[in-house]
Amino acid sequence: MDAVTATRMLDDREREVEHRLSRLRDDEASLRHDRADATADDEHDPEGSTLSGEWAQVDALRRGAESERAEILAARERVASGTFGVCEQCGRSIADARLEARPFARRCIACAT
C-alpha cells in the first residue's frame, strides 16, 4: 500500500475517532451534570442503569478511543519512516485488506493470532 493511500485511510479513521471522542465528551458532561443534581438517587432507582454504570461505560469507551488515536499517530510515524504495512513481528507485509479494516495494524494476521 502506498503512503498516499495509507495517509488517506488514517485521516478518515482519525476523523471517526475524533467524532466519537466529541460525542463521548458530551456524554461525560451530561453525566457530570446529572451527578451534580442532589436529588438524583440512581443507586436505588429500579428503572434502568445507574449513573455510575453509565459513567464507567462512557469512560471505558473514551479510553478506547484515545488509545486508538495513539495507534493512529504511531501508524503515521510508520508511514513517514517507510515501515507502514510491515509486520513488526515477522517483517512480512500486512495484507491490504487488514490495513483497510485496521489502518493502524502493527502485525500481520498470522502474527496477530
Side-chain angles (χ1 to χ4, degrees):
M1 178 171 301
D2 65 39
V4 172
T5 303
T7 300
R8 183 183 40 76
M9 286 190 324
L10 291 168
D11 289 345
D12 292 345
R13 191 63 166 257
E14 188 170 28
R15 275 191 296 278
E16 291 171 18
V17 169
E18 290 301 330
H19 180 69
R20 194 174 345 137
L21 280 168
S22 176
R23 285 192 334 256
L24 291 167
R25 283 193 280 281
D26 291 345
D27 290 348
E28 280 182 329
S30 176
L31 287 169
R32 205 173 288 115
H33 178 267
D34 291 347
R35 285 181 123 181
D37 183 2
T39 62
D41 182 17
D42 72 326
E43 296 301 323
H44 298 97
D45 183 0
E47 305 293 324
S49 62
T50 65
L51 289 175
S52 297
E54 289 180 37
W55 185 272
Q57 183 179 18
V58 168
D59 183 58
L61 291 169
R62 181 188 46 76
R63 284 184 283 122
E66 288 172 346
S67 176
E68 187 172 340
R69 184 173 54 188
E71 287 292 331
I72 291 167
L73 178 61
R76 289 184 185 285
E77 291 172 4
R78 291 191 299 278
V79 170
S81 70
T83 61
F84 180 84
V86 177
C87 178
E88 290 181 344
Q89 190 167 337
C90 70
R92 287 180 269 173
S93 292
I94 300 172
D96 286 349
R98 176 162 171 74
L99 291 171
E100 287 171 11
R102 244 181 114 80
F104 48 84
R106 295 173 179 262
R107 289 186 231 136
C108 66
I109 291 174
C111 291
T113 56

